[in-house]
């Protein structure tokens, strides 16, 4: 197994400093497919610095340094071709500003045995330079082929949608070069760009970043249910249920239940799941 559980479980990942400005926020939004139609005032709030807002899913972008730090821990030896994102959760402690400098501290909180793979769970806490908490990320790295070591399997997956038609459904088309654009946000895993590397992982072509799908679904909910108010999102969790290929259309389904919006996403062309067991918790509007 490429993970020494005794060394890695409970290990602290070295702190990571990050900074961003309007250009990086806009690049992230463009990587999700924002800006269509280009002159739509609602879309310009994502793509033009004149009245720029920040999607809450942007909280995953400073996480890249922490993920790299996980791979650098003593006792971790992961083949990137066998690595997939398992689940992602963000908790917002304050609205994300257009410009900021932060420090992220992180800990490996669990290592689970999923039979066909192993899951490493990390909690990463990000705060401003003044020490004010901004957001917390919890993510799981799924390493295919490394399960069966006899560890705990973890709790059952929650956030099941109700057995009825969704309250809203949105179709989100993607560009064939979507992954090539999104990788400029910081995730340079060749799985999303290099066909030969993708083939080593068992894919016939590069796949879209799971966190790009995650952000696309978040934008769909904010725009459809929350009237574009990014500040109403208190938290967002999702399970990565399958791969999505650039050029496909993502169908995002939403069920509104009080202060919880349950959602799922699938590929329209293959009718295959992409995100499942997902929920956005919302705050009352000001």
């Amino acid at each position: 197994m490429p993970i020494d559980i005794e060394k890695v479980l409970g290990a602290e990942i070295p702190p990571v400093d990050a900074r961003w400005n309007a250009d990086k926020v806009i690049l992230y939004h463009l990587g999700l497919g924002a800006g269509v139609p280009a002159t739509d005032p609602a879309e310009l709030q994502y793509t033009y610095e004149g009245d720029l807002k920040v999607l809450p899913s942007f909280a995953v972008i400073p996480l890249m340094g922490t993920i790299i730090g996980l791979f650098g821990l003593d006792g971790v030896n992961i083949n990137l071709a066998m690595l997939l994102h398992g689940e992602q959760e963000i908790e917002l402690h304050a609205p994300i500003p257009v410009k900021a400098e932060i420090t992220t501290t992180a800990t490996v909180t669990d290592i689970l045995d999923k039979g066909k793979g192993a899951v490493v769970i990390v909690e990463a806490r990000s705060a401003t330079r003044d020490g004010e908490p901004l957001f917390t990320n919890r993510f799981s790295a799924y390493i295919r082929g490394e399960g069966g070591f006899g560890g705990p399997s973890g709790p059952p997956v929650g956030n099941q949608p109700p057995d009825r038609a969704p309250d809203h459904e949105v179709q989100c088309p993607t560009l064939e070069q979507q992954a090539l654009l999104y990788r400029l946000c910081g995730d340079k895993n060749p799985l999303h760009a290099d066909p030969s590397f993708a083939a080593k992982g068992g894919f016939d072509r590069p796949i879209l970043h799971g966190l790009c799908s995650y952000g696309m679904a978040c934008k769909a909910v904010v725009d459809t249910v929350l009237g574009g108010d990014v500040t109403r999102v208190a938290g967002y969790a999702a399970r990565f249920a399958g791969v999505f290929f650039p050029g496909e259309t993502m169908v995002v389904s939403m069920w509104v239940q009080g202060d919880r919006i349950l959602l799922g996403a699938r590929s329209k062309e293959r009718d295959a799941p992409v995100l499942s067991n997902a929920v956005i918790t919302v705050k009352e509007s000001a």
Side-chain angles (χ1 to χ4, degrees):
M1 184 176 176
I3 300 173
D4 186 325
I5 295 176
E6 290 188 2
K7 290 183 178 180
V8 177
L9 184 58
E12 295 184 358
I13 298 171
V16 177
D17 293 331
R19 64 178 64 187
W20 64 85
N21 56 19
D23 286 353
K24 192 159 188 177
V25 171
I26 291 170
L27 177 62
Y28 172 72
H29 291 156
L30 290 172
L32 301 182
V36 181
T39 56
D40 184 335
E43 292 298 316
L44 282 171
Q45 287 188 310
Y46 293 117
T47 57
Y48 175 58
E49 60 273 17
D51 188 21
L52 187 63
K53 60 187 179 183
V54 186
L55 277 169
S57 55
F58 182 83
V60 304
I61 293 302
L63 192 62
M64 292 303 107
T66 298
I67 294 175
I68 293 171
L70 169 64
F71 299 151
L73 286 177
D74 185 25
V76 176
N77 183 22
I78 296 174
N79 178 0
L80 288 180
M82 303 304 289
L83 176 68
L84 291 173
H85 209 135
E87 297 181 6
Q88 178 69 39
E89 178 183 1
I90 55 175
E91 180 183 352
L92 284 300
H93 308 301
I96 300 177
V98 170
K99 180 179 180 181
E101 296 185 11
I102 66 169
T103 299
T104 298
T105 56
T107 305
V108 177
T109 58
D110 215 343
I111 301 175
L112 304 177
D113 184 350
K114 294 296 185 179
K116 294 182 179 180
V119 173
V120 179
I121 299 176
V122 175
E123 179 174 286
R125 302 161 298 279
S126 298
T128 67
R129 292 295 173 84
D130 295 330
E132 293 296 323
L134 191 55
F135 46 75
T136 297
N137 277 277
R138 299 177 186 90
F139 71 91
S140 64
Y142 182 84
I143 306 106
R144 292 180 293 159
E146 299 300 338
F149 55 89
S153 61
V157 179
N159 300 319
Q160 298 283 357
D163 186 18
R164 61 174 175 81
D167 297 307
H168 306 277
E169 202 161 74
V170 175
Q171 295 192 18
C172 306
T174 62
L175 301 169
E176 289 189 13
Q177 67 268 35
Q178 196 89 32
L180 299 178
L181 178 60
Y182 185 84
R183 70 191 301 267
L184 298 179
C185 295
D187 187 345
K188 297 294 187 67
N189 187 339
L191 178 65
H192 308 294
D194 185 342
S196 62
F197 191 90
K200 293 178 183 178
F203 304 108
D204 59 3
R205 61 189 188 276
I207 63 176
L208 190 68
H209 304 70
L211 288 179
C212 183
S213 299
Y214 182 84
M216 289 173 61
C218 180
K219 181 178 184 296
V221 172
V222 169
D223 291 347
T224 304
V225 182
L226 304 182
D229 188 350
V230 296
T231 67
R232 291 192 61 195
V233 176
Y236 175 27
R239 177 175 178 265
F240 298 97
V243 299
F244 186 80
F245 294 99
E248 294 184 330
T249 297
M250 182 179 297
V251 181
V252 182
S253 303
M254 311 165 211
W255 295 263
V256 181
Q257 296 188 329
D259 64 353
R260 287 161 47 90
I261 304 166
L262 299 169
L263 64 144
R266 68 184 190 277
S267 162
K268 178 181 178 180
E269 291 77 6
R270 293 178 292 114
D271 193 27
V274 177
L275 299 174
S276 68
N277 305 93
V279 62
I280 286 180
T281 54
V282 300
K283 299 179 289 187
E284 292 293 331
S285 56

